[in-house]
Amino acid sequence: MASHNSTPGINNQSRQPGPNYNVPPELAIFILNLRFPEIHDEEPTRKDMAALYDLRLVSRLWKELIEDTPTLWTCVSVDFPTTVIRDCLWWSKSHSLRIWIYYPSTKCSHTLIKHHNLLQSQSHRWKTLSYHTGDQLYIDYQHVKSFLESPAPILQSIDTNLKAFKPEPIVNLAGGQAKALKHLSLSDVLLPWSSSLLHGLETFSLWIHNPIPVKEVINLLIKSPALKSLELSSGDAEGLDDPTPLTTSTLDLVATSLEEVIIYVASPHIISHVLSRVSMPSCKTLEFSTTITTLGDLDTLGNALVQFMPRIAEVLRRGGRTSLLVESDLAHEWSSSLEYDAFRFCFGFSNILVERVIGWIRNLIATLEYQLELEIFLDTSDRQTIEALGKWNDIAKLEVYHGAVSSTHGTDEDILLLDFLGDVRVDSVDGLSWPFPNLHELDVYHAGCDHLAVFGMLNRRYLPEIDVRVLEEQGISVRTPPKVNLRVKGTDGDSTVMTMLKHHWGVKSLTQEELDE
């Protein structure tokens, strides 16, 4: 070990000892534990350690307290200077360690290998391990593999990302000996599915490019009955592991502890398979995102959601509205209100038109005997998408972002929302009407709309009462939309325009707020 009376080179600034304060040891330890907690949500930095070494210079009391408090030294980053790593391993004594190897800024392979060897020698003390290579490779695969396969019997959490290696390697993490493991996150790396580490987990996350091995995921739920969180992500829709659509709704397994399920895969059949085969009575969060290739994919997903329909019904009963994020012509996301915590859902769809998604949602809600009411978060100016949305009576609120009020193509493919909202439709039978016929709330706060442009849209969307009466006396029906609750970004010097908006006959209420930075 290095000499522990010297200050390592964390930075090059000279330090002068501070005053010799007589602080009670108990209070000093309390303060130190607040400033340098044993459990870090993020990788500890050189700056953190420099502050700790500075405190050692305050007085002999502080120096002795810091060096004799092992919990201050249990979080170790490979990015620390070599002397600091040695000090951490020495002053943490026999306490368990939290190891961080995360996109190291130390590019020297010789130094990295030296640090790996130091930390590897204490693998029997590892409690948590976060190992992320980043995009570039600084040391060879054999060193990485040897490090990750070090026996670590008390390891409780592994978070591994080996994106620098292609194809995704299979690594026997912790030598398969981490019997206390509860949390396992794998990204661009695989573990042998026969590994004993897959028994008794509480959280499991798998992010890979190849197809998700669904059968092994089902087996994982059997091996880990206490699993609370399951995250799966894959970019590949093809492969032998993509299950065929189910012909039965039989639930084969009950995952009583599972509270969170997140599945991002290209194939909807993988989602349907998991949700149809596994009963999840305790699930509080359900998220999935997938690519739709046929309308039958939507039907399959709808059938797989049968067990969740009572919880979706409760969301509707409590919150009323659900949200639909529309960012492009073929990417949409339907979700519950974030205000209701008992159950939250978020379903993403790509490669499908928005009207088909809304139709699917409406059919799903109809089975619950609820009237669909949507709030749309709109961030696209795609003409086909906006025109499709404008036909639905189910849309009660529009929250508009910059993409919906600025042209991206500069061609007829785009339509600006404010222009569209003010467009009157003339029909020989139905008379005059406007798009979004049931719109009660319009929020342009994030869109940066010109207030005069908003006022002009209101003038076109809401005819004065005297004009409506004249038209109706001529036998022309006028289907005036409901008055809106309007929210805009307020700025200095526009009080006249704000007054005009506030008193417009089409505005029920006006909320003016400054834009958050």
Side-chain angles (χ1 to χ4, degrees):
M1 294 291 177
S3 172
H4 303 297
N5 294 319
S6 60
T7 301
I10 297 178
N11 57 46
N12 295 322
Q13 296 177 355
S14 61
R15 302 181 180 91
Q16 298 297 325
N20 189 1
Y21 295 117
N22 292 317
V23 179
E26 296 80 4
L27 178 59
I29 293 174
F30 178 76
I31 294 172
L32 287 171
N33 285 328
L34 285 179
R35 173 60 181 83
F36 306 99
E38 181 181 8
I39 299 177
H40 290 255
D41 292 331
E42 298 179 352
E43 180 183 15
T45 65
R46 289 177 171 231
K47 183 178 180 180
D48 294 328
M49 298 310 294
L52 189 60
Y53 277 92
D54 281 340
L55 282 174
R56 289 174 65 245
L57 300 178
V58 170
S59 69
R60 187 180 68 178
L61 171 65
W62 281 96
K63 181 178 185 296
E64 292 175 351
L65 280 174
I66 289 171
E67 295 177 4
D68 291 337
T69 306
T71 55
L72 298 176
W73 305 94
T74 56
C75 292
V76 193
S77 169
V78 75
D79 197 37
F80 289 172
T82 303
T83 309
V84 176
I85 293 178
R86 292 183 184 275
D87 284 349
C88 287
L89 298 181
W90 178 267
W91 283 322
S92 60
K93 299 181 179 178
S94 61
H95 282 241
S96 57
L97 300 172
R98 301 176 185 274
I99 306 299
W100 295 79
I101 300 178
Y102 198 90
Y103 299 95
S105 60
T106 303
K107 304 298 192 301
C108 175
S109 60
H110 175 74
T111 301
L112 277 176
I113 291 173
K114 182 197 301 184
H115 291 180
H116 273 67
N117 291 339
L118 281 171
L119 298 175
Q120 189 173 6
S121 69
Q122 301 295 313
S123 65
H124 61 282
R125 296 168 56 196
W126 294 354
K127 184 176 183 180
T128 67
L129 173 63
S130 295
Y131 196 109
H132 291 234
T133 62
D135 295 315
Q136 299 184 22
L137 183 61
Y138 302 119
I139 59 177
D140 63 86
Y141 173 66
Q142 290 305 319
H143 277 96
V144 174
K145 185 174 186 291
S146 173
F147 183 89
L148 292 174
E149 292 187 345
S150 303
I154 68 170
L155 198 58
Q156 296 181 9
S157 174
I158 301 176
D159 176 16
T160 309
N161 185 324
L162 300 187
K163 65 190 302 184
F165 299 104
K166 303 296 180 187
E168 295 154 349
I170 299 177
V171 181
N172 186 25
L173 296 171
Q177 299 181 25
K179 297 181 179 179
L181 190 67
K182 299 298 181 184
H183 309 285
L184 179 59
S185 177
L186 306 174
S187 182
D188 293 308
V189 60
L190 287 170
L191 183 73
W193 288 103
S194 59
S195 173
S196 61
L197 299 188
L198 297 175
H199 292 259
L201 293 175
E202 293 183 2
T203 65
F204 177 73
S205 175
L206 178 64
W207 297 73
I208 57 177
H209 294 283
N210 293 322
I212 295 289
V214 182
K215 294 180 181 178
E216 298 297 349
V217 171
I218 301 297
N219 290 334
L220 168 70
L221 293 171
I222 297 174
K223 298 174 185 177
S224 297
L227 195 73
K228 295 180 180 179
S229 175
L230 174 67
E231 295 187 38
L232 305 172
S233 177
S234 169
D236 198 334
E238 305 299 331
L240 297 176
D241 292 316
D242 185 6
T244 56
L246 301 173
T247 58
T248 174
S249 59
T250 303
L251 294 166
D252 299 331
L253 173 67
V254 179
T256 55
S257 301
L258 200 56
E259 297 181 354
E260 179 183 60
V261 178
I262 300 173
I263 307 177
Y264 296 154
V265 293
S267 170
H269 295 161
I270 292 177
I271 300 170
S272 300
H273 193 95
V274 174
L275 300 185
S276 299
R277 284 293 186 239
V278 183
S279 174
M280 308 172 186
S282 303
C283 185
K284 296 180 180 179
T285 298
L286 177 62
E287 294 184 20
F288 67 70
S289 180
T290 190
T291 301
I292 302 300
T293 56
T294 69
L295 292 180
D297 292 341
L298 287 176
D299 295 334
T300 301
L301 288 171
N303 293 334
L305 289 172
V306 168
Q307 65 168 308
F308 300 98
M309 295 311 293
R311 277 165 275 185
I312 292 177
E314 183 65 12
V315 170
L316 295 173
R317 187 184 71 83
R318 289 176 174 265
R321 294 177 185 170
T322 54
S323 303
L324 184 65
L325 172 63
V326 182
E327 293 184 293
S328 72
D329 57 334
L330 295 175
H332 322 292
E333 186 178 274
W334 182 44
S335 63
S336 57
S337 171
L338 297 179
E339 298 176 358
Y340 179 53
D341 296 329
F343 182 69
R344 188 179 69 86
F345 67 85
C346 182
F347 306 150
F349 308 92
S350 61
N351 194 45
I352 187 170
L353 298 175
V354 68
E355 59 261 38
R356 290 180 177 173
V357 174
I358 295 179
W360 177 79
I361 296 171
R362 175 185 273 184
N363 292 337
L364 202 65
I365 298 302
T367 64
L368 303 174
E369 299 182 354
Y370 274 90
Q371 178 66 38
L372 178 62
E373 188 174 323
L374 286 172
E375 54 181 351
I376 304 293
F377 295 86
L378 187 64
D379 198 17
T380 178
S381 59
D382 180 73
R383 176 180 293 275
Q384 184 178 2
T385 300
I386 292 178
E387 289 180 346
L389 288 172
K391 299 175 183 178
W392 290 89
N393 291 319
D394 312 89
I395 298 174
K397 177 181 177 180
L398 266 179
E399 185 164 320
V400 185
Y401 290 81
H402 184 71
V405 296
S406 62
S407 175
T408 56
H409 300 98
T411 67
D412 289 341
E413 295 179 20
D414 288 341
I415 186 171
L416 302 185
L417 181 68
L418 292 182
D419 294 339
F420 182 67
L421 285 172
D423 283 346
V424 61
R425 284 113 180 251
V426 181
D427 185 272
S428 58
V429 176
D430 296 329
L432 305 184
S433 63
W434 287 261
F436 296 98
N438 198 37
L439 189 66
H440 287 79
E441 295 182 53
L442 178 61
D443 187 340
V444 295
Y445 172 79
H446 297 283
C449 294
D450 179 79
H451 294 148
L452 282 176
V454 175
F455 184 75
M457 177 275 295
L458 294 171
N459 284 339
R460 298 191 303 275
R461 185 172 176 85
Y462 299 95
L463 299 180
E465 291 186 8
I466 186 171
D467 292 344
V468 172
R469 285 198 300 268
V470 170
L471 290 170
E472 289 179 342
E473 288 173 357
Q474 297 176 2
I476 301 175
S477 174
V478 180
R479 299 187 176 185
T480 304
K483 293 184 177 182
V484 291
N485 297 309
L486 180 64
R487 180 174 180 246
V488 299
K489 177 177 72 71
T491 57
D492 295 334
D494 57 1
S495 58
T496 301
V497 180
M498 285 299 175
T499 301
M500 294 164 59
L501 290 175
K502 181 177 181 180
H503 295 289
H504 194 280
W505 54 87
V507 175
K508 184 176 182 180
S509 67
L510 175 67
T511 301
Q512 174 188 352
E513 297 181 15
E514 291 291 338
L515 185 64
D516 295 332
E517 296 295 337

